[in-house]
Amino acid sequence: MDTLVAQLQRQFRDYTISLYHQGFLDDQFTELKKLQDECSPDFVAEVVSLFFEDCEKLIGNMARALDQTGNVDFSLVGSSVHQLKGSSSSVGAKRVKGLCVTFKECCDSQSFEGCVRCLQQVDIEYKSLKAKLQDLFNLEQQIVQAGGRIPQVDI
Amino acid sequence: MMEVCNCIEPQWPADELLMKYQYISDFFIAVAYFSIPLELIYFVKKSAVFPYRWVLVQFGAFIVLCGATHLINLWTFTTHSRTVALVMTTAKVLTAVVSCATALMLVHIIPDLLSVKTRELFLKNKAAELDREMGLIRTQEETGRHVRMLTHEIRSTLDRHTILKTTLVELGRTLALEECALWMPTRTGLELQLSYTLRQQHPVEYTVPIQLPVINQVFGTSRAVKISPNSPVARLRPVSGKYLLGEVVAVRVPLLHLSNFQINDWPELSTKRYALMVLMLPSDSARQWHVHELELVEVVADQVAVALSHAAILEESMRARDLLMEQNVALDIARREAETAIRARNDFLAVMNHEMRTPMHAIIALSSLLQETELTPEQRLMVETVLKSSSLLATLMNDVLDLSRLEDGSLQLELGTFNLHTLFREVLNLIKPIAVVKKLPITLNLAPDLPEFVVGDEKRLMQIILNIVGNAVKFSKQGSISVTALVTKSDNRAPPDFFVVPTGSHFYLRVKVKDLGAGINPQDIPKLFTKFAQTQSLATRSSGGSGLGLAISKRFVNLMEGNIWIESEGVGKGCTAIFDVKLGISNESKQSGIPKVPANPQHVNFAGLKVLVMDENGVSRMVTKGLLVHLGCEVTTVSSSEECLRVVSHEHRVVFMDVCTPGVENYQIALRIHEKFTKRHQRPLLVALTGNTDKSTKERCMSFGLDGVLLKPVSLDNMRNVLSDLLEHRVLYEAM
């Protein structure tokens, strides 16, 4: 008969591991976790939310640039992709980063269809990651409220 | 018996007187006749040896019968009966028979008896002869015994004096001599000196010349020679009124020289030296020298010669052994002194090493620090001179210490893996300032097949190359200097006694340093590698240095199983220094160029370290900041180059700048920062954060004056290591 805390902790662990295994997150995320301590208890949350804001902004920029049919500024798109790639690699958003690489190639080759397709994929991807991370943070809060400790997950 | 009276007148008638006399005589005859055989029988019975018993019996019978006849005759004087006459006749007949038989028998016997006598005489003579011979043999046996005893006595010692003394004593005893003396030849060989005598304890030391005829006579034969008692060699004592001096005999004693003593080949005695032994019989004894005594003396003389030569050999070998022992002792002392000296020198060097280096380090360290502060140009010049001089002094100390350790053979190479190409470039960078001042262009040619990562003693190899290139720069006034490094093959030119065989995991590196400077007289070339020698030209003498450089380099090269030589066509024609060393090929192709990243960084305390982070990307800016904050730094963030330039100050120790964004502007900021901070100590360290660390990126970073490159994203451990390394070494080339 598991306690609630134990149950939640197990849930949290399993979920985290699944995120890694599915390729949503990579080691960089673990590094971020390491930086969270008493001085900055919400460091990861802050960085992640900033990332998602950044994503939103950049994707918006790219969409607008790609909407200029016939006069697409691929260098602008490319620089935005570059930014996104940097951001995603900083937080450990593995899938997003991978998509950015592909996106960059499309930009370099100035393939409009490729860029549009990649943009869509990036959009989907970042949103799904955002949802998943939200779930993860909710689990954490539940554990804390239940009086437990957030377990250390070794991948 | 009847008394015979002396009266002549007959009392009886005359014919009765005659009858009476006859009667008496017959009676006595009968008695004698009967007693003689009795005596014979008695004595024959007593002696058992008499061989002619039968004759005696016959004789006895003859006598008995004669006696019987005479006895019976007694009755015939008066009238007698016929029986008596019969008995008388029988007796007479028997007597006649027996006497005739006896007479016949005697004819046989008497010659035998006579011959017995002759045999007896013969035997007596023989016995006398045998007696004589036995006497002789006994004497000889005695002599032999004496000789053996003498020899044993003489040969039982190897001491020359004992030998000679014993000889004289034993001879004196055996032969019952009055005096016995030995004359030895003097060192000059011209005289004989009286060395030993029997009776006198301390003989008067006087000499006779060796060329006396009597001496020559004795030396001429190996036999003992009788000499006159009045000859100078025999007159040993003052004549004390003896009337008749005993006979004197002299014999030579050969003295065999050591150098002529050969086992298989006895030397001719005629050319050798002799001593003279003189023996004197007691005076007034009328004794004569017998042959066996002379033979004894000769034998003894020979034995003495042998014993003396053995003694001489022994003396010689003892002397040699004593000499060797002395030399041994002296060598031992010398060796111990040398060891003491070496120990003292090592102690001194160790002390000097430590004691002198401590203040030296202080001087150098403090001078360097002084150099970093604000100084007027004159002060700066002074400080630089102090630094240069103390560096020179430190080098000198190191050189001397190294050289003494090299000579001891106690220096060991410290092998490690290092980058050969980098080494050459470093050397060149060190030399470049001086070369630029002297306007001597230096070129470096590395052969394409030169391995990059090698195994060897990096520090010492650098020392060698520095020394050689430094010499080239020192001794050149104009011209260019070229440094060539290649892998040498065996058909290249090399000194004839050196063969290069590259093995599997090793190769021989050949370095040629050619200059067009002063050049060297070919005759001086061998002297170059000797310690403390300098070529004598005035220009070079002023350039300082201890003259040890080439000697040390040569020893290091030898330690690396190589060879070093210099070729020059003459004074003023420049020279080429060439050396080969054996190096190992490293298996690791990927070798970190960083000075080792320690597992436990020393510099963990980054508390309060002011750093500046420049990143246009907000997310990565935040992540980097979080990283640095976590490590305890005080982080300021900026998002553009302009802002960075505005904000950066000398308080910031490190500036992390993101150079991911394509474009060259990012690097420009490094240049701007360099311009802003002219003094080296004020300028913060510049680290580029980039997404890729390929060679071109790294080179570009270097060329823009960045101190390091980091690959994003940076892990916590990585950042920690990097920071500590950076702050310790002030340089960082790569981190993954």
Side-chain angles (χ1 to χ4, degrees):
Chain A
M1 196 30 197
D2 281 345
T3 59
L4 180 64
V5 173
Q7 244 181 337
L8 285 171
Q9 282 173 339
R10 207 176 55 242
Q11 232 180 325
F12 174 83
R13 196 180 283 119
D14 292 341
Y15 196 56
T16 312
I17 289 171
S18 74
L19 282 179
Y20 277 96
H21 281 173
Q22 284 169 21
F24 284 102
L25 300 170
D26 63 6
D27 292 338
Q28 183 57 22
F29 193 75
T30 326
E31 293 290 331
L32 281 183
K33 276 276 172 78
K34 282 192 208 168
L35 299 177
Q36 186 160 298
D37 53 6
E38 299 84 53
C39 305
S40 42
D42 295 323
F43 179 73
V44 180
E46 283 169 16
V47 173
V48 164
S49 50
L50 185 63
F51 167 65
F52 289 134
E53 281 171 24
D54 215 17
C55 275
E56 215 173 345
K57 190 179 77 188
L58 286 170
I59 286 171
N61 288 349
M62 285 192 275
R64 264 196 300 284
L66 285 170
D67 273 347
Q68 314 277 347
T69 43
N71 198 16
V72 175
D73 190 1
F74 281 104
S75 60
L76 180 66
V77 176
S79 69
S80 297
V81 169
H82 186 83
Q83 290 271 354
L84 190 61
K85 179 161 152 247
S87 306
S88 57
S89 67
S90 295
V91 298
K94 190 169 170 183
R95 282 200 185 178
V96 178
K97 188 178 86 177
L99 283 171
C100 287
V101 174
T102 324
F103 203 160
K104 191 84 197 323
E105 284 166 19
C106 295
C107 284
D108 290 341
S109 55
Q110 304 208 342
S111 151
F112 182 79
E113 287 82 15
C115 287
V116 170
R117 197 171 43 249
C118 284
L119 185 64
Q120 283 172 350
Q121 282 175 331
V122 166
D123 194 34
I124 294 166
E125 202 55 50
Y126 108 83
K127 282 184 176 140
S128 81
L129 181 64
K130 185 172 174 183
K132 289 198 188 299
L133 283 178
Q134 193 64 56
D135 289 345
L136 200 65
F137 289 141
N138 290 341
L139 262 176
E140 278 184 17
Q141 282 188 321
Q142 279 174 22
I143 292 172
V144 169
Q145 277 169 5
R149 205 176 36 83
I150 298 167
Q152 198 82 339
V153 183
D154 296 327
I155 307 302
Chain B
M1 296 310 317
M2 215 181 271
E3 285 173 75
V4 179
C5 57
N6 289 328
C7 53
I8 304 171
E9 65 178 311
Q11 291 196 344
W12 290 296
D15 48 321
E16 262 192 38
L17 195 69
L18 284 170
M19 263 194 6
K20 273 219 175 79
Y21 281 135
Q22 276 192 348
Y23 193 82
I24 291 166
S25 318
D26 278 332
F27 179 70
F28 274 114
I29 289 168
V31 166
Y33 278 169
F34 282 125
S35 59
I36 284 175
L38 283 171
E39 284 170 12
L40 277 175
I41 289 167
Y42 174 68
F43 282 116
V44 164
K45 272 237 156 59
K46 269 280 190 137
S47 84
V49 269
F50 197 74
Y52 300 113
R53 282 203 184 174
W54 173 241
V55 173
L56 275 175
V57 166
Q58 267 183 331
F59 233 70
F62 166 67
I63 292 175
V64 162
L65 285 170
C66 276
T69 316
H70 281 283
L71 194 65
I72 294 168
N73 225 15
L74 286 175
W75 277 272
T76 53
F77 288 121
T78 55
T79 45
H80 43 280
S81 65
R82 192 179 166 83
T83 343
V84 172
L86 196 68
V87 169
M88 183 78 200
T89 320
T90 320
K92 278 207 178 143
V93 165
L94 279 173
T95 310
V97 166
V98 172
S99 19
C100 291
T102 311
L104 284 170
M105 197 69 57
L106 278 174
V107 172
H108 290 283
I109 286 173
I110 288 178
D112 273 349
L113 284 172
L114 283 175
S115 74
V116 162
K117 214 58 189 151
T118 5
R119 259 209 301 253
E120 191 196 314
L121 205 64
F122 175 70
L123 281 171
K124 211 187 281 176
N125 283 344
K126 256 294 195 254
E129 216 178 282
L130 280 171
D131 262 338
R132 267 200 308 280
E133 272 180 23
M134 203 169 79
L136 261 171
I137 289 171
R138 204 181 292 131
T139 336
Q140 270 177 352
E141 194 254 325
E142 234 176 74
T143 313
R145 211 163 24 87
H146 281 299
V147 169
R148 272 196 302 280
M149 189 184 55
L150 254 168
T151 313
H152 173 75
E153 289 291 324
I154 290 169
R155 299 279 287 269
S156 68
T157 169
L158 284 171
D159 174 48
R160 164 196 272 257
H161 296 284
T162 319
I163 289 172
L164 292 169
K165 246 327 191 203
T166 315
T167 312
L168 297 183
V169 164
E170 291 297 322
L171 269 179
R173 210 152 47 78
T174 312
L175 300 172
L177 300 170
E178 176 179 346
E179 179 62 271
C180 193
L182 191 69
W183 298 77
M184 302 282 279
T186 57
R187 210 158 284 141
T188 58
L190 296 174
E191 291 179 324
L192 284 180
Q193 189 183 34
L194 182 63
S195 311
Y196 304 92
T197 56
L198 181 57
R199 306 289 172 201
Q200 298 166 348
Q201 287 309 108
H202 301 282
V204 175
E205 299 229 354
Y206 69 102
T207 62
V208 296
I210 208 169
Q211 290 301 328
L212 288 180
V214 61
I215 297 177
N216 283 338
Q217 184 196 3
V218 175
F219 282 178
T221 168
S222 64
R223 324 251 356 212
V225 174
K226 290 204 187 107
I227 61 174
S228 153
N230 291 322
S231 58
V233 291
R235 236 182 297 128
L236 299 169
R237 296 208 219 158
V239 178
S240 49
K242 306 258 186 208
Y243 289 108
L244 194 64
L245 295 169
E247 283 197 351
V248 180
V249 145
V251 69
R252 73 176 187 187
V253 179
L255 298 173
L256 297 166
H257 276 248
L258 193 61
S259 55
N260 298 313
F261 192 87
Q262 289 158 35
I263 310 288
N264 299 319
D265 176 27
W266 290 93
E268 285 300 316
L269 297 178
S270 56
T271 57
K272 297 303 155 269
R273 306 191 322 159
Y274 301 107
L276 188 75
M277 194 151 57
V278 174
L279 308 120
M280 280 182 278
L281 288 178
S283 327
D284 291 345
S285 69
R287 246 180 73 187
Q288 297 261 330
W289 280 101
H290 299 135
V291 172
H292 70 269
E293 288 171 342
L294 293 179
E295 282 168 6
L296 180 100
V297 167
E298 285 157 23
V299 166
V300 166
D302 275 337
Q303 291 297 320
V304 166
V306 170
L308 279 178
S309 57
H310 285 181
I313 292 176
L314 179 73
E315 259 177 50
E316 192 63 38
S317 65
M318 300 274 284
R319 214 168 38 80
R321 188 198 67 171
D322 285 339
L323 195 65
L324 275 173
M325 265 173 48
E326 264 176 45
Q327 283 177 342
N328 226 13
V329 166
L331 276 172
D332 203 34
I333 292 177
R335 179 178 63 88
R336 260 185 270 136
E337 278 178 8
E339 278 179 4
T340 319
I342 288 179
R343 262 201 301 274
R345 185 204 66 179
N346 286 346
D347 288 342
F348 165 71
L349 280 178
V351 163
M352 180 181 100
N353 179 27
H354 180 256
E355 296 297 330
M356 282 179 66
R357 275 192 181 161
T358 317
M360 187 56 52
H361 281 158
I363 294 173
I364 293 178
L366 291 173
S367 309
S368 321
L369 280 177
L370 194 60
Q371 226 185 14
E372 302 279 326
T373 63
E374 277 198 46
L375 299 168
T376 67
E378 295 95 22
Q379 286 174 331
R380 184 163 291 276
L381 193 65
M382 289 186 229
V383 169
E384 274 170 10
T385 313
V386 167
L387 250 185
K388 199 167 83 158
S389 312
S390 40
S391 299
L392 199 66
L393 194 56
T395 313
L396 178 64
M397 273 168 32
N398 286 343
D399 279 357
V400 171
L401 195 67
D402 268 350
L403 194 63
S404 57
R405 272 197 296 151
L406 275 172
E407 293 192 325
D408 275 349
S410 60
L411 192 80
Q412 304 243 327
L413 291 178
E414 293 160 25
L415 298 175
T417 311
F418 61 94
N419 188 330
L420 194 61
H421 295 227
T422 316
L423 186 111
F424 278 105
R425 273 193 278 271
E426 268 175 43
V427 168
L428 244 65
N429 285 341
L430 285 169
I431 290 290
K432 254 205 172 65
I434 311 173
V436 161
V437 164
K438 287 180 93 166
K439 295 199 174 45
L440 300 166
I442 304 188
T443 54
L444 171 67
N445 303 312
L446 302 177
D449 61 345
L450 198 68
E452 196 176 340
F453 295 101
V454 297
V455 178
D457 190 333
E458 182 186 7
K459 188 173 88 152
R460 302 233 165 87
L461 183 62
M462 191 188 308
Q463 217 173 329
I464 298 169
I465 305 174
L466 255 181
N467 180 255
I468 305 255
V469 177
N471 279 349
V473 168
K474 226 194 302 185
F475 295 111
S476 297
K477 290 223 186 60
Q478 82 281 348
S480 69
I481 298 173
S482 78
V483 180
T484 317
L486 41 98
V487 175
T488 186
K489 300 167 186 65
S490 52
D491 51 314
N492 276 5
R493 232 173 359 133
D497 57 348
F498 188 67
F499 296 100
V500 173
V501 179
T503 57
S505 60
H506 293 91
F507 74 102
Y508 282 87
L509 166 74
R510 172 168 292 190
V511 177
K512 286 198 237 193
V513 178
K514 188 169 161 60
D515 72 65
L516 295 169
I520 299 169
N521 197 339
Q523 290 164 338
D524 287 337
I525 289 185
K527 283 192 270 175
L528 282 172
F529 291 103
T530 55
K531 287 190 300 180
F532 306 118
Q534 299 237 35
T535 53
Q536 289 304 306
S537 65
L538 286 167
T540 58
R541 214 187 302 166
S542 63
S543 54
S546 60
L548 284 177
L550 272 178
I552 292 184
S553 300
K554 182 177 163 81
R555 279 182 179 76
F556 282 145
V557 166
N558 286 339
L559 265 181
M560 294 184 193
E561 298 178 48
N563 205 356
I564 179 170
W565 68 100
I566 292 191
E567 297 166 4
S568 173
E569 289 169 37
V571 175
K573 297 205 176 79
C575 77
T576 311
I578 310 174
F579 70 88
D580 296 330
V581 287
K582 185 175 175 189
L583 295 171
I585 302 177
S586 169
N587 289 327
E588 309 169 39
S589 53
K590 198 160 140 60
Q591 192 63 26
S592 60
I594 29 169
K596 286 179 295 197
V597 179
N600 302 314
Q602 287 98 320
H603 209 124
V604 282
N605 186 17
F606 305 121
L609 185 76
K610 276 180 177 260
V611 296
L612 185 65
V613 174
M614 189 211 85
D615 197 340
E616 287 177 356
N617 187 320
V619 175
S620 66
R621 192 169 61 235
M622 189 170 179
V623 171
T624 311
K625 177 180 175 177
L627 205 60
L628 289 164
V629 164
H630 188 78
L631 288 172
C633 307
E634 207 182 306
V635 185
T636 320
T637 53
V638 293
S639 55
S640 70
S641 331
E642 293 79 24
E643 199 179 350
C644 175
L645 272 173
R646 245 182 309 126
V647 174
V648 75
S649 74
H650 63 273
E651 289 173 46
H652 295 112
R653 295 292 309 283
V654 190
V655 173
F656 290 95
M657 54 181 72
D658 172 68
V659 296
C660 284
T661 328
V664 194
E665 308 85 54
N666 302 306
Y667 296 104
Q668 297 287 347
I669 179 165
L671 291 175
R672 297 267 182 73
I673 291 180
H674 270 276
E675 283 165 23
K676 186 164 177 184
F677 301 97
T678 48
K679 302 214 182 352
R680 201 165 151 264
H681 74 281
Q682 284 183 350
R683 178 176 68 76
L685 293 166
L686 304 172
V687 180
L689 296 168
T690 169
N692 62 338
T693 51
D694 60 341
K695 211 160 171 206
S696 56
T697 318
K698 271 196 269 185
E699 278 180 14
R700 196 183 299 157
C701 290
M702 290 311 111
S703 62
F704 280 97
L706 281 142
D707 298 301
V709 179
L710 265 181
L711 181 69
K712 283 208 304 193
V714 191
S715 71
L716 185 64
D717 292 335
N718 218 3
M719 181 59 90
R720 191 187 290 127
N721 293 338
V722 159
L723 261 185
S724 75
D725 237 26
L726 208 64
L727 292 169
E728 197 173 300
H729 297 113
R730 294 189 69 83
V731 79
L732 173 76
Y733 285 108
E734 180 192 317
M736 291 294 286

